[in-house]
Amino acid sequence: DAAPSRYVLPNDVGLALLDCSEAFRLLLRSERLYAHYLSRACWYGGLVVLLQTSPEAPAIYVLLSRLFRAQDPDQLGELARSTGLTDQEYQAFLVYAAGVFSNMGNYKSFGDTKFVPNLPKDKLRQLIWQSQAFQEQPEEMESLWDRCGELMFSLDPQQRQLGLREKGITTYFSGNCCLEDAQLAQKFLDSQNISAYNTRLFKEKDKAGQTCYEVRLASVLNAPVDHELAPKLRTFEFEGCTFRVTRGDYAPLLERVVENLQRTKTHAANTNQEHMLEHYIRSFTQGSIAAHKEGSRCWIRDKGPIVESYIGFIESYRDPYGSRGEFEGFVAVVNKAMSAKFAQLVESAEQLLLELPWPRAFEKDTFLTPDFTSLDVLTFAGSGIPAGINIPNYDDIRQTEGFKNVSLGNVLSVAYATQKDKLTFLTEEDKDLYIKWKGPSFEVQVGLHELLGHGSGKLFVQEEKGTCNFDREAVINPETGELIQSWYQGGETWDSKFSTIASSYEECRAECVGLYLCLNKDVLRIFELEGEDAEDVIYINWLNMVRAGLLGLEFYTPETGTWRQAHMQARFVILRVLLEAGEGLVSLQHTTGADGKPDALITLDRNKILPVGKPAIERFLRRLQVLKSTADVAGGRALYGRFSAVTDEGPERFLSLRDTVLLRKEARKMFVQANTRLEGEDVTLVQYEGTAAGLIRSFSERFPEDAELLERHLLELSDADAHFWASQG
């Protein structure tokens, strides 16, 4: 029987080539070499994500890689037809393989649900048994299938999504760990000042039945331990348990990363880049996050480079506990035209910040300009490609040295080139305007969100010594009319204080800043928008936000009452705020589609944006900022929780709308990325077609020297820990 549609990728899933040829062509030879070796480091490191996703992901990757290395998608397709697969079934298999390669595993990087092949298991098995790869290595192929064939298709409730213990699958923790283990481990890590970013946690009982945890750091194994880590690599007694800190997770993959970072160094453009690479090399060799922080500091100092990059254990979205980082690495090239507009936005920042709806005392003493550029991605290795990034995630560095903000221009332009027939929930007239203005409106929103959204607002802090960064006798809370009653103490941070809601709340604040400031004519002029065009861009930006709020329901899980995606929750909250503003600003109707199935229609009255929408966002944004500045967790949770709640109460009946959204959803696009190839003393770019077959070919050609060795490493690494999840399957 076929799997429910939300666990398969549709045959007509959008695939697009991530085109970087223009930007790459404009690079100097030294820049091309720098980009090439850095890209190699990223691709090797990206394979780590397979080991961070699910117990079966490495074997699935190896099985697919071998199939397509022996026969390219066209050749395998001819064989498939002769073994009785329909064209639909073979296309479903190609789409599945493309999905595994682009998510680096068999769980979607956006939403964290499992996806399975959309064809009968026995037909896939038959194809594998007939394949060239099987003829060449029958025992190996059969053993690969035995390892992952069942799990590839299984949709046991626990395996449908990532999570801890009975809630889902994760390989950041052994299968016997639950939330209490994660909390205890966090307390232990904090007590020893060890960062969780590059760790995994494995729990076992020793002979005496005492609980023993292994905290394993990602590192190359054979290097001598340096003075920073030496005292930490030992066994500790903590709250009645044993914690053993070890290293060497993903060692053979990180060795390749380090080799390529060494090669990159000889082509660095300046000393900041050289030092940055030296610190990264130490971080991956030793397993040191302190070294990665040093590298990040050098990286921030490397202002406006032509070739931009970041690499390491960065985003913690997919750790069910939210503190372990997933490996990612990207290399991108400056997009000069768009960057000029964003630079003008930064020049106007001091004026624009005064427009925001909170008193001057709630704004940073001086605007720390986030270094924000628009880049075209050459390489993005990991589980998925975002449209923009704001890093580093290390709070201490963000507060003092700042951070960088990157908008990925070629991702944006492809992700939003939606065909009219796939634009759900809008009137025909709105669809035409949407297609025309989506690109420009998105550019405006991304710039405002990243620069003035994340870049604005102050946290009130009292240092260990008692000094405050605000005047306790004078600053008034605009919501209460009283003096400030609460603030952050010494070591507290926004993330540690607001924990589980911090990232979505902050995304919501930044999105609101974008909606609020896009009404400003000076802002629109920077983006060369005037008159009617400017009005249309405002309208489409607001319309897109309310539609995104509706689409966000896909990322809400009714069973657990939780949201799986920070940005989507933020947009739903904004939709709720605008609906609550009333006066016919936004209307949301349940309808029936031409196919007789449930549908919905969302409309926004453009004449009510200024008189009704603006004051509503203004009030809400002020409350978000005041609660954030004053560390008022209880108030923040109450406010954010109220607007995040999804019920089936009328008139909207959001739970029913969620079913409609799932029924009508368009699968997230997959990106086909180029490879770089050394030719003599120079580097050429090899691009592929924007299809599932093209994506598969790009991976088949990604590791020309050592694919088989890498696959052996992946299987060995996976085997070594398989027993930690054996009871779960």
Side-chain angles (χ1 to χ4, degrees), residues 15 73-74 94 98 689 691-698:
L15 277 118
D74 293 346
L94 290 184
E689 57 180 31
T691 61
L695 197 152
I696 291 165
R697 281 194 187 96
S698 72

Side-chain angles (χ1 to χ4, degrees), residues 27-51:
L27 293 179
L28 304 172
R29 191 176 70 95
S30 59
E31 293 163 345
R32 281 199 289 269
L33 286 161
Y34 180 80
H36 167 73
Y37 287 118
L38 207 42
S39 291
R40 299 312 300 152
C42 293
W43 286 124
Y44 283 116
L47 297 171
V48 163
V49 176
L50 292 162
L51 295 153

Side-chain angles (χ1 to χ4, degrees), residues 154-207:
S154 161
L155 283 173
D156 285 356
Q158 186 207 354
Q159 288 162 2
R160 290 176 191 168
Q161 63 287 311
L162 299 179
L164 272 170
R165 198 68 162 266
E166 64 287 341
K167 287 202 168 75
I169 293 293
T170 177
T171 48
Y172 286 107
F173 297 87
S174 54
N176 55 0
C177 285
C178 58
L179 185 60
E180 287 69 33
D181 297 299
Q183 287 165 333
L184 180 65
Q186 191 61 51
K187 278 171 72 175
F188 164 72
L189 291 168
D190 291 344
S191 75
Q192 295 304 320
N193 201 12
I194 297 171
S195 165
Y197 271 122
N198 62 343
T199 67
R200 293 198 288 169
L201 185 72
F202 302 98
K203 173 168 107 168
E204 292 187 281
K205 290 260 191 273
D206 67 10
K207 304 247 186 339

Side-chain angles (χ1 to χ4, degrees), residues 36-51 61 104 250-261 263 311 327-329 379-382 699 701-711 713-714 717:
H36 167 73
Y37 287 118
L38 207 42
S39 291
R40 299 312 300 152
C42 293
W43 286 124
Y44 283 116
L47 297 171
V48 163
V49 176
L50 292 162
L51 295 153
Y61 172 89
M104 265 297 118
Y250 327 118
L253 301 175
L254 292 176
E255 257 174 71
R256 295 286 189 307
V257 173
V258 166
E259 278 165 24
N260 281 286
L261 291 175
R263 294 183 186 124
I311 187 170
F327 195 94
E328 69 176 49
T379 297
F380 206 118
F699 269 88
E701 296 179 12
R702 198 137 273 160
F703 302 105
E705 304 87 37
D706 49 8
E708 291 181 30
L709 182 59
L710 285 174
E711 288 160 16
H713 286 319
L714 277 169
L717 288 166

Side-chain angles (χ1 to χ4, degrees), residues 276 296 298-305 308-309 369-373 389-392 398 402-406 450:
M276 163 188 95
S296 299
C298 299
W299 176 71
I300 292 168
R301 285 177 211 133
D302 186 26
K303 299 278 184 214
E308 186 54 284
S309 66
T369 305
D371 173 56
F372 183 60
T373 10
I389 26 199
N390 178 301
I391 32 184
R398 292 173 72 85
F403 45 86
K404 280 189 188 181
N405 248 319
V406 171
E450 299 291 354

